[in-house]
C-alpha cells in the first residue's frame, strides 16, 4: 500500500456538477468558449536527407483489445462520521482499497483506477449513478488529534485520547460517496492515432496513466507526477546537505505514428535523507554539533516533513518546533486526585514528562527545541531524539552547485546501462499481471521500439583567412586557425578581486593566444588590485570602492574590463559587478576565476570576449555566401524566446522573460537580447507588446524590430522564425494565439501595412524519449534526426540530437513546428535547425538546442543576477503555501546602458 503522502499533484479536474434527469439545460444565451484562431499545423512531409540508420527507442508497444467502450469517470468524496470531509492527503488509496475489498459485490466485480484523490475510473458504468459505502479503517494516519504518546495541547491526553487508550486499536468510520461524472469514449484514442485528435483524447490518456500510477502506488512507491520511486536504498545516492538523489522511472502513454506506446525512462528526484532528525539538521546546515544548529532555519526546512517516533512507532507530520528547549517547555498535565475521580492540572516540562512519566531515557534533547506535531492551537511536543525522518520524502528546495553537480554525476548512465535498467524495470513491473490493465484489455510489450533515423552532415564553417572546414563529431577547434572577424583590443584594464592570481602570466597568455587567433591585444592600461582592507566588506560595497579607483585612474570607459573573481562558482561579486558595468558604466566585461590556465582555457575566454566586443569567431559558410534556403534571400529575422523561473518552492521570485533576435541580416550568428521580469511562475511572456499610448509601444518586440531594421540596411523582415523554449503541449495554443498575436500586434503598431510571414517552432528538452544504437555502446552520432515512428500521428514534429553526447545518454531536442507561413520543406527546416546548433559563439561544439534559445537562457540568467532576488524573502519555504502570482509586485530589471545594450553581453 502506498504511503499516505506519496501522491502526485496532477489529477483530472473536478467533475462537472450532476444535472438531475428532469432538468433541461437552457440553450439560449449560452456563450461558448471561443475556438482558438490557430491550431498546431499538420505534417506536410518527412525529411529524406542524411544517412539512414536504424535506432531503438525507449517506447514500448501498447495494444488495446477494444476501442468501442467507455471509461466512466466518477467523483469520489470521503467523510468522517461527523460529516467533516476527510482532509488527510494520501489516505484515499487505503480507503478505496478497503471499499473494493469489502463491497466487491456492490461494485459489480469491477476493477477501477483511482487517482488517489477525487477521481475514479471504470471500464463501463455501474448500474447506479451514485454509490455510498461505510467502512471502518484501522490506524488511519490523519493527524486530526494529538495522540496519547505525546503531551497534548492542555498538557495531557484529552478525554477522547484516554478513551482511545482503552481501545484495542485506533479506528475510523468513513463514509464514501462515488458519483457518476462523465463518459470518456475509448474511441478517442483510436481517432488520435489516425490523426483525428478529439477533446476526449487527453482525458483517455490520463486514465491510462492513472492505471500505471495506481500500479506503482500499490508497490509503496513515491509518486511525482508521472514518475515513481521505490523505497530501495540501492536507488539512493547521497548528495550532501541531508539530501539524497533517488532513482526511479518515468512512464507515460504516447500516441505515435506507430500506434499507442508506453514511454519508459529512468528518472531522478531529490529526497530528504531518512534517519534521526538531528542528523539531517547537522548535514543540512553543515555543522558538527547540535548546539550550532540555527533553529529558525531548522523550523523552515522541517515543516510538513513526516517523522516516525522511536518510542511508539507512530507517524506524524511536523508542524513546527517548540519556542523553548525541552527542559523549559511546559504544559498542563491533568492528574487524578482522591477517590472521587477529580483531576488537578500540574505544570510539567516535556523533558520531565517523557523521563519521569513515560520512563524514556533522553540523552541530548533537554537543551534543544521539541518537534511539534500538533495543531496551531493544540501543540503536541516530542523530544528531538525520539524523532526519525521517514523515507521517500521529496526535497523541493533549490540545490547548491555542489549538490547539483553531484546529482548529475551520480545519475548519469551510459546508453547500454540505461537500456539494461529499463529492460529490467519492464520485467519487474510485470504489467501483464496487472488486473486493471487486463480488465481494460491493455497489453504492453517489453521490447524497445525500432525506428528509422537519419544522420545529417555537419554544416561547413568559415573561419579566418577565408578558410572553410567541416566539424567532425559535432566538435572543432581553433588550433592553427584564426577567428573569422577578430576584434582588436587597444584599451583595456584588469580588475583583480582575487589574491592568488598571477596577473603577469595571465596577460602574456592572453596577448600570445590572441595573436594566434588574429586578435591584436595591447598590454592592459592598468591593473587594479583590491585592497585587503575591503575584502571583508559586502560585495556591492567592494564593487563601488573598486569603481571609485577605476574612475580616478582611467580617463574614460575602456573597451573591456577583465574581472578576476575570487570564487569560481556563485561569487557574490558577480551580480553587482555585472550590474555596475552593463547598466551604469556601459563597459563590456568578462569575468574569470582561473584555476588551471592553459591555451584551451585562454582560447575559450577569448571566444567570449571577441563575441561581446562585436566580433565573430566562426560563421556558417552558407550564411556567408547567402545560400540558406528561405532565410538568406528574403529578409529573415530569427527570435529565441524563453522564460526562466525562480528556485523550486520560491513562489515570491519573479520570472525572467528573455527574447533574443538576430541582427545585421543576412547574418544568423549575431543576436541582441531584451529581458524583462514578470509575475512568478507565469510561462507566457507578458510584455511582447505593451502600448503606452497611441504612438508608444514599450514592449520587447518593438525594441528588437527597431534594432533589426537599423542594422539590416533599413529593411523590415519579410520572414520571422520564432523558436520558443519551455512550454508544454498543453500551452501550444497559447503560444499560437497569445504570444504570436502580440508579436503581430507589435508589427502592425510599427507599420499597419507590414505583414511578415511567421514560422513558430517550440523546442522541448524536458521529455523522456531517448534513442540508442542497436548493439553499439556509444550515443547516437551528432546530427541524428527522427521524424518517423515515435513522432506525433498528425502534428509536425521531429527529434534532433545535434550535439555529441560525451557522457551519459544523449537527450534529443523535440522540435514542434506549430505554424509555418514561410513554407519550409521538412528537409530545409531540419537542416536550418541543425545549422543553428553550430553558430554558438561561446564554444567550439554543436549545442543541443538551437543557439537563439541558448542565448535567451544566458541573457535571462545574467540579468537575473542584477537584482539579488533571494534577498526579497529568505523566510519563504518550499513547504509553505504557494502565493498567488498575480498579487506579488514584480521588481523591474535595471536598463542596460546604451553602449552595451546591442552587444552580445550574454556570451
Amino acid at each position: 500500500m502506498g504511503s499516505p503522502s506519496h501522491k502526485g499533484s496532477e489529477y483530472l479536474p473536478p467533475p462537472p456538477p450532476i444535472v438531475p434527469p428532469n432538468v433541461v439545460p437552457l440553450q439560449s444565451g449560452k456563450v461558448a468558449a471561443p475556438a482558438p484562431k490557430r491550431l498546431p499545423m499538420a505534417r506536410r512531409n518527412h525529411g529524406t536527407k542524411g544517412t539512414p540508420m536504424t535506432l531503438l527507442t525507449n517506447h514500448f508497444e501498447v495494444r488495446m483489445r477494444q476501442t468501442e467502450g467507455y471509461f466512466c469517470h466518477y467523483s469520489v468524496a470521503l467523510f468522517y462520521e461527523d460529516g467533516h470531509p476527510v482532509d488527510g492527503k494520501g489516505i484515499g488509496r487505503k480507503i478505496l482499497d478497503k471499499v473494493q475489498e469489502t463491497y466487491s459485490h456492490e461494485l459489480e466485480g469491477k476493477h477501477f483506477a483511482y487517482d488517489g484523490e477525487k477521481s475514479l475510473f471504470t471500464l463501463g458504468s455501474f448500474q447506479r449513478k451514485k454509490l455510498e459505502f461505510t467502512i471502518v479503517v484501522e490506524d488511519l494516519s490523519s493527524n486530526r488529534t494529538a495522540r496519547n504518546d505525546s503531551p497534548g495541547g492542555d498538557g495531557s491526553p484529552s478525554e477522547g485520547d484516554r478513551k482511545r487508550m482503552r481501545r484495542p486499536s485506533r479506528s475510523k468510520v468513513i463514509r464514501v460517496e462515488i458519483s457518476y461524472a462523465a463518459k470518456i469514449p475509448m474511441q478517442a484514442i483510436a481517432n488520435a492515432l489516425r490523426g483525428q485528435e478529439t477533446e476526449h483524447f487527453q482525458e483517455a490518456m490520463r486514465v491510462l496513466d492513472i492505471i500505471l500510477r495506481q500500479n506503482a502506488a500499490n508497490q509503496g512507491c513515491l509518486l511525482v507526477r508521472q514518475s515513481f520511486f521505490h523505497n530501495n536504498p540501492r536507488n539512493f545516492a547521497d548528495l550532501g546537505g541531508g539530501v539524497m538523489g533517488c532513482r526511479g522511472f518515468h512512464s507515460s502513454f504516447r500516441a505515435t505514428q506507430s500506434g499507442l506506446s508506453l514511454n519508459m525512462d529512468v528518472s531522478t528526484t531529490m529526497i530528504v535523507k531518512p534517519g534521526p532528525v538531528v542528523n539531517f539538521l547537522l548535514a543540512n546546515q553543515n555543522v558538527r554539533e547540535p548546539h550550532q544548529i540555527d533553529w529558525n532555519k531548522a523550523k523552515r526546512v522541517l515543516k510538513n516533513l513526516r517523522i516516525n517516533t522511536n518510542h511508539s512507532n507512530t507517524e506524524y507530520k511536523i508542524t513546527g518546533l517548540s519556542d523553548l528547549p525541552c527542559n523549559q517547555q511546559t504544559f498542563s498535565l491533568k492528574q487524578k486526585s482522591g477517590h472521587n475521580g477529580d483531576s488537578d492540572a500540574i505544570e510539567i516540562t516535556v523533558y520531565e514528562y517523557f523521563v519521569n512519566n513515560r520512563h524514556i531515557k533522553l540523552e541530548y534533547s533537554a537543551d534543544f527545541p521539541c518537534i511539534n506535531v500538533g495543531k496551531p492551537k493544540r501543540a503536541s511536543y516530542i523530544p528531538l531524539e525520539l524523532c526519525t525522518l521517514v523515507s521517500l520524502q521529496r526535497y523541493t528546495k533549490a540545490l547548491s552547485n555542489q549538490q547539483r553537480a553531484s546529482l548529475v554525476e551520480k545519475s548519469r548512465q551510459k546508453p547500454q546501462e540505461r537500456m539494461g535498467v529499463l529492460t529490467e524495470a519492464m520485467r519487474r513491473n510485470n504489467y501483464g499481471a496487472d488486473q486493471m490493465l487486463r480488465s481494460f484489455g491493455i497489453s504492453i510489450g517489453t521490447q524497445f521500439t525500432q525506428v528509422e533515423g537519419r544522420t545529417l552532415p555537419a554544416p561547413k564553417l568559415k573561419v579566418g583567412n577565408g578558410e572553410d572546414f567541416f566539424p567532425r563529431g559535432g566538435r572543432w577547434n581553433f588550433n592553427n586557425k584564426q577567428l573569422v572577424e577578430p576584434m582588436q583590443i587597444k584599451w583595456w584594464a584588469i580588475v583583480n578581486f582575487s589574491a592568488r592570481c598571477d596577473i603577469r602570466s595571465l596577460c602574456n597568455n592572453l596577448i600570445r593566444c590572441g595573436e594566434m587567433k588574429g586578435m591584436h591585444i595591447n598590454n592592459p592600461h592598468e591593473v587594479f588590485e583590491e585592497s585587503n582592507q575591503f575584502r571583508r566588506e559586502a560585495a556591492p560595497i567592494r564593487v563601488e570602492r573598486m569603481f571609485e579607483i577605476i574612475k580616478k585612474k582611467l580617463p574614460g570607459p575602456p573597451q573591456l574590463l577583465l574581472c578576476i573573481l575570487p570564487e569560481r562558482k556563485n561569487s557574490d561579486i558577480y551580480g553587482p559587478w555585472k550590474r555596475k558595468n552593463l547598466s551604469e558604466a556601459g563597459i563590456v566585461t568578462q569575468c574569470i576565476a582561473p584555476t588551471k590556465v592553459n591555451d584551451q582555457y585562454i582560447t575559450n575566454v577569448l571566444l567570449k570576449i571577441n563575441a561581446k566586443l562585436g566580433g565573430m569567431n566562426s560563421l556558417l559558410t552558407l550564411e556567408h555566401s547567402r545560400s540558406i534556403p528561405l532565410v538568406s534571400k528574403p529578409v529573415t529575422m530569427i527570435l529565441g524566446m524563453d522564460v526562466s523561473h525562480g528556485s523550486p518552492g520560491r513562489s515570491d521570485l519573479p520570472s525572467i522573460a528573455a527574447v533574443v533576435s538576430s541582427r545585421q541580416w543576412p547574418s544568423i550568428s549575431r543576436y541582441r537580447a531584451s529581458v524583462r521580469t514578470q509575475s512568478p511562475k507565469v510561462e507566457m511572456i507578458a510584455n511582447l507588446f505593451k502600448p503606452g499610448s497611441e504612438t508608444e509601444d514599450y514592449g520587447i518586440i518593438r525594441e528588437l524590430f527597431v534594432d533589426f531594421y537599423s542594422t539590416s540596411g533599413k529593411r523590415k523582415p519579410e520572414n520571422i522564425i520564432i523558436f520558443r523554449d519551455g512550454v508544454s503541449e498543453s500551452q501550444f495554443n497559447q503560444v499560437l494565439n497569445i504570444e504570436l498575436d502580440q508579436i503581430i500586434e507589435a508589427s502592425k503598431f510599427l507599420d499597419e501595412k507590414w505583414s511578415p510571414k511567421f514560422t513558430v517552432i517550440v523546442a522541448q528538452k524536458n521529455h523522456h524519449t531517448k534513442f540508442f544504437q542497436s548493439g553499439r555502446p556509444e550515443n547516437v552520432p551528432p546530427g541524428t534526426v527522427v521524424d518517423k515512428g515515435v513522432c506525433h500521428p498528425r502534428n509536425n514534429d521531429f527529434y534532433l540530437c545535434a550535439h555529441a553526447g560525451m557522457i551519459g545518454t544523449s537527450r534529443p531536442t523535440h522540435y514542434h513546428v506549430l505554424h509555418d507561413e514561410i513554407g519550409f520543406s521538412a528537409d530545409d527546416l531540419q537542416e536550418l535547425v541543425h545549422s543553428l546548433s553550430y553558430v554558438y559563439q561561446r564554444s567550439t561544439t554543436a549545442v543541443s538546442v538551437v543557439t537563439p534559445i541558448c542565448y535567451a537562457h544566458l541573457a535571462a540568467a545574467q540579468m537575473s543576477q542584477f537584482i539579488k532576488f533571494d534577498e526579497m524573502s529568505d523566510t519563504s519555504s518550499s513547504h509553505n503555501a504557494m502565493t498567488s502570482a498575480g498579487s506579488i509586485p514584480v521588481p523591474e530589471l535595471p536598463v542596460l546602458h546604451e553602449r552595451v545594450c546591442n552587444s552580445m553581453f550574454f556570451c
Side-chain angles (χ1 to χ4, degrees):
M1 174 53 55
S3 182
S5 292
H6 296 172
K7 65 173 190 55
S9 57
E10 292 190 358
Y11 298 104
L12 290 171
I18 297 171
V19 180
N22 59 337
V23 174
V24 179
L26 290 172
Q27 298 298 321
S28 60
K30 182 180 176 182
V31 180
K37 289 190 295 185
R38 305 180 191 92
L39 294 171
M41 66 176 289
R43 187 187 309 277
R44 294 184 183 130
N45 49 38
H46 292 93
T48 58
K49 290 187 177 178
T51 305
M53 62 191 306
T54 299
L55 301 170
L56 297 175
T57 183
N58 57 335
H59 284 242
F60 300 87
E61 183 185 15
V62 177
R63 293 186 177 180
M64 297 182 68
R65 285 202 305 272
Q66 61 184 77
T67 57
E68 298 304 317
Y70 288 87
F71 296 127
C72 283
H73 177 194
Y74 290 85
S75 64
V76 177
L78 309 174
F79 302 94
Y80 290 107
E81 277 180 290
D82 57 9
H84 283 88
V86 175
D87 57 358
K89 288 189 176 180
I91 61 175
R93 293 191 190 277
K94 175 182 274 191
I95 294 170
L96 266 292
D97 280 352
K98 185 79 171 180
V99 168
Q100 186 150 41
E101 177 188 320
T102 310
Y103 295 100
S104 176
H105 178 72
E106 288 80 355
L107 291 169
E108 302 165 28
K110 285 185 182 296
H111 295 285
F112 53 73
Y114 176 51
D115 71 353
E117 239 183 31
K118 294 185 178 179
S119 290
L120 176 151
F121 301 89
T122 61
L123 183 62
S125 60
F126 295 119
Q127 291 181 8
R128 288 181 292 160
K129 294 279 187 181
K130 186 170 184 177
L131 303 170
E132 291 192 27
F133 306 107
T134 301
I135 59 163
V136 176
V137 181
E138 307 297 333
D139 192 24
L140 186 62
S141 253
S142 69
N143 212 30
R144 289 184 85 221
T145 59
R147 294 192 187 131
N148 63 311
D149 51 5
S150 61
D154 61 354
S156 64
S158 66
E159 184 60 33
D161 292 325
R162 291 184 187 282
K163 289 177 181 174
R164 286 186 190 89
M165 289 181 202
R166 293 192 291 270
R167 288 186 183 180
S169 63
R170 296 183 300 274
S171 60
K172 295 282 183 184
V173 176
I174 305 292
R175 182 163 54 86
V176 181
E177 292 182 1
I178 299 175
S179 307
Y180 173 80
K183 274 185 179 180
I184 304 168
M186 296 174 72
Q187 188 65 38
I189 296 175
N191 291 343
L193 294 173
R194 290 194 294 266
Q196 304 163 4
E197 193 164 319
T198 66
E199 59 181 313
H200 294 296
F201 169 67
Q202 290 300 334
E203 293 174 329
M205 294 293 276
R206 291 182 76 178
V207 175
L208 301 186
D209 285 332
I210 286 168
I211 296 173
L212 291 199
R213 288 173 57 77
Q214 180 168 281
N215 177 289
N218 290 339
Q219 298 176 53
C221 292
L222 164 65
L223 306 181
V224 183
R225 292 182 290 278
Q226 290 178 295
S227 295
F228 54 92
F229 303 89
H230 289 88
N231 189 13
N232 184 342
R234 288 188 308 171
N235 298 333
F236 301 164
D238 199 331
L239 308 181
V243 183
M244 306 191 83
C246 179
R247 193 179 74 185
F249 299 95
H250 163 93
S251 66
S252 61
F253 288 93
R254 310 286 299 174
T256 72
Q257 296 141 315
S258 302
L260 194 61
S261 72
L262 176 66
N263 179 204
M264 190 85 168
D265 193 21
V266 176
S267 180
T268 305
T269 194
M270 283 74 69
I271 61 171
V272 172
K273 188 172 183 178
V277 169
V278 69
N279 290 0
F280 166 73
L281 293 175
L282 293 173
N284 187 251
Q285 298 189 18
N286 193 26
V287 294
R288 294 189 172 199
E289 302 292 337
H291 68 262
Q292 297 173 296
I293 292 171
D294 179 331
W295 293 102
N296 285 324
K297 285 184 181 177
K299 184 176 182 179
R300 291 197 296 272
V301 78
L302 290 176
K303 187 167 184 183
N304 290 338
L305 292 179
R306 299 188 326 281
I307 54 156
N308 202 57
T309 53
N310 303 349
H311 62 294
S312 63
N313 194 28
T314 308
E315 192 173 302
Y316 296 99
K317 184 166 74 175
I318 298 175
T319 55
L321 298 177
S322 62
D323 296 328
L324 298 172
C326 187
N327 62 4
Q328 297 177 32
Q329 182 68 53
T330 63
F331 63 92
S332 296
L333 177 67
K334 290 182 181 178
Q335 290 191 326
K336 286 186 179 181
S337 61
H339 300 286
N340 56 3
D342 293 340
S343 60
D344 294 329
I346 62 166
E347 286 293 310
I348 186 173
T349 66
V350 176
Y351 182 85
E352 290 172 325
Y353 173 77
F354 276 90
V355 171
N356 299 329
N357 293 45
R358 302 297 301 275
H359 308 294
I360 296 171
K361 187 177 179 182
L362 297 178
E363 300 285 349
Y364 60 80
S365 296
D367 298 325
F368 304 117
C370 304
I371 301 292
N372 184 4
V373 297
K375 295 289 185 181
K377 294 183 180 180
R378 186 182 174 84
S380 183
Y381 299 120
I382 304 172
L384 184 66
E385 68 191 82
L386 300 182
C387 301
T388 300
L389 289 165
V390 302
S391 191
L392 288 185
Q393 298 191 79
R394 287 187 73 199
Y395 182 85
T396 55
K397 297 178 80 67
L399 296 180
S400 66
N401 282 315
Q402 293 86 349
Q403 287 172 325
R404 193 176 298 113
S406 179
L407 178 66
V408 169
E409 180 187 348
K410 291 176 179 179
S411 57
R412 266 183 207 136
Q413 289 179 311
K414 292 181 179 178
Q416 292 299 311
E417 182 187 356
R418 185 174 290 252
M419 286 186 75
V421 168
L422 291 174
T423 300
E424 172 61 19
M426 291 299 293
R427 184 194 65 77
R428 194 173 57 247
N429 287 337
N430 192 17
Y431 288 130
D434 186 276
Q435 289 183 321
M436 276 303 305
L437 290 172
R438 290 169 66 180
S439 69
F440 279 36
I442 297 167
S443 61
I444 300 173
T446 57
Q447 300 298 312
F448 284 70
T449 298
Q450 184 172 299
V451 294
E452 297 304 312
R454 291 168 286 118
T455 307
L456 300 178
K460 188 186 290 185
L461 298 183
K462 180 171 286 295
V463 289
N465 294 330
E467 181 185 351
D468 292 348
F469 72 97
F470 284 104
R472 298 182 63 181
R475 308 173 74 83
W476 63 98
N477 59 56
F478 277 98
N479 296 342
N480 305 315
K481 297 183 182 72
Q482 293 197 352
L483 308 182
V484 69
E485 291 180 24
M487 298 299 290
Q488 310 309 311
I489 306 177
K490 298 177 181 177
W491 189 37
W492 65 294
I494 294 176
V495 175
N496 184 19
F497 287 101
S498 174
R500 57 180 188 276
C501 185
D502 184 346
I503 301 291
R504 183 184 297 275
S505 172
L506 180 67
C507 281
N508 291 339
N509 282 322
L510 277 169
I511 292 167
R512 178 180 59 81
C513 285
E515 288 294 335
M516 292 165 60
K517 304 294 173 273
M519 293 177 72
H520 177 72
I521 304 174
N522 288 347
N523 284 313
H525 185 275
E526 194 76 51
V527 176
F528 299 98
E529 298 275 359
E530 184 182 35
S531 171
N532 284 334
Q533 70 188 81
F534 297 144
R535 287 195 172 142
R536 293 185 180 275
E537 299 276 9
I541 295 173
R542 293 171 70 182
V543 169
E544 288 298 332
R545 294 279 167 82
M546 183 64 79
F547 253 88
E548 288 169 10
I549 300 168
I550 291 170
K551 285 178 181 176
K552 287 177 184 175
K553 293 202 174 183
L554 294 183
Q559 274 180 283
L560 171 75
L561 282 177
L562 183 67
C563 175
I564 303 170
L565 298 173
E567 299 96 16
R568 184 161 175 262
K569 293 284 187 183
N570 273 3
S571 172
D572 289 342
I573 293 170
Y574 181 85
W577 176 257
K578 285 287 186 180
R579 174 175 180 157
K580 188 72 180 176
N581 280 272
L582 298 178
S583 181
E584 297 177 33
I587 301 171
V588 171
T589 180
Q590 176 64 47
C591 292
I592 60 173
T595 50
K596 182 182 178 183
V597 177
N598 54 28
D599 282 7
Q600 181 64 57
Y601 177 83
I602 295 295
T603 299
N604 287 342
V605 171
L606 288 172
L607 294 179
K608 296 176 183 181
I609 291 173
N610 191 52
K612 287 176 179 178
L613 292 174
M616 281 283 110
N617 303 325
S618 60
L619 297 170
L620 298 171
T621 301
L622 288 177
E623 171 186 10
H624 187 262
S625 62
R626 302 192 177 192
S627 306
I628 301 174
L630 299 177
V631 174
S632 295
K633 291 298 190 284
V635 183
T636 300
M637 180 184 195
I638 298 176
L639 300 178
M641 298 167 41
D642 183 43
V643 177
S644 300
H645 303 293
S647 303
R650 292 295 304 273
S651 61
D652 55 335
L653 302 187
S655 294
I656 310 283
V659 183
V660 303
S661 66
S662 59
R663 60 200 309 262
Q664 297 182 28
W665 178 84
S667 172
I668 62 169
S669 294
R670 299 178 192 273
Y671 290 85
R672 181 196 191 279
S674 182
V675 186
R676 308 284 174 89
T677 52
Q678 62 185 42
S679 295
K681 310 300 181 190
V682 173
E683 185 54 55
M684 291 299 114
I685 299 178
N687 295 312
L688 294 171
F689 176 57
K690 189 180 179 183
S693 66
E694 290 186 6
T695 57
E696 290 296 327
D697 170 15
Y698 300 106
I700 293 172
I701 294 298
R702 178 192 174 95
E703 181 184 322
L704 300 176
F705 278 160
V706 169
D707 175 74
F708 183 92
Y709 181 79
S710 62
T711 63
S712 303
K714 300 287 190 283
R715 295 183 181 93
K716 297 188 190 80
E718 300 167 47
N719 294 341
I720 299 175
I721 303 169
I722 301 167
F723 288 97
R724 179 66 160 96
D725 188 33
V727 293
S728 62
E729 291 177 40
S730 64
Q731 296 168 315
F732 286 177
N733 283 341
Q734 290 173 276
V735 172
L736 282 175
N737 295 288
I738 297 176
E739 290 186 342
L740 180 55
D741 267 359
Q742 285 190 66
I743 296 170
I744 292 170
E745 284 185 81
S747 68
K748 295 296 182 186
F749 199 87
L750 274 171
D751 182 352
E752 186 64 40
K753 296 179 182 178
W754 179 32
S755 297
K757 294 178 180 176
F758 290 92
T759 292
V760 181
I761 304 164
V762 167
Q764 289 181 334
K765 289 285 286 181
N766 190 23
H767 64 85
H768 288 273
T769 295
K770 304 286 195 304
F771 297 108
F772 307 88
Q773 298 193 72
S774 179
R776 301 187 64 175
E778 63 267 23
N779 273 304
V780 296
T784 297
V785 63
V786 174
D787 63 2
K788 295 178 180 176
V790 290
C791 292
H792 196 279
R794 172 195 174 274
N795 295 352
N796 190 3
D797 65 328
F798 62 92
Y799 293 91
L800 174 64
C801 200
H803 64 296
M806 307 304 290
I807 49 178
T809 304
S810 293
R811 185 198 299 258
T813 299
H814 192 184
Y815 291 100
H816 302 260
V817 186
L818 302 186
H819 188 73
D820 181 26
E821 297 171 348
I822 297 172
F824 284 100
S825 68
D827 279 325
D828 285 346
L829 191 58
Q830 289 168 14
E831 286 194 319
L832 172 65
V833 169
H834 187 222
S835 296
L836 281 170
S837 299
Y838 281 81
V839 299
Y840 189 62
Q841 298 298 308
R842 281 166 52 101
S843 69
T844 53
T845 58
V847 285
S848 62
V849 67
V850 286
T851 296
I853 283 176
C854 290
Y855 285 162
H857 280 302
L858 290 171
Q862 189 161 133
M863 290 195 68
S864 68
Q865 295 289 321
F866 284 19
I867 298 176
K868 278 292 180 185
F869 290 125
D870 284 327
E871 292 173 3
M872 291 165 49
S873 168
D874 63 359
T875 59
S876 177
S877 163
S878 62
H879 301 297
N880 289 345
M882 297 290 281
T883 313
S884 141
S887 64
I888 298 172
V890 179
E892 292 189 3
L893 288 168
V895 177
L896 290 174
H897 195 284
E898 60 182 7
R899 282 197 294 267
V900 296
C901 65
N902 296 323
S903 72
M904 286 174 49
F905 67 88
F906 41 81
C907 265

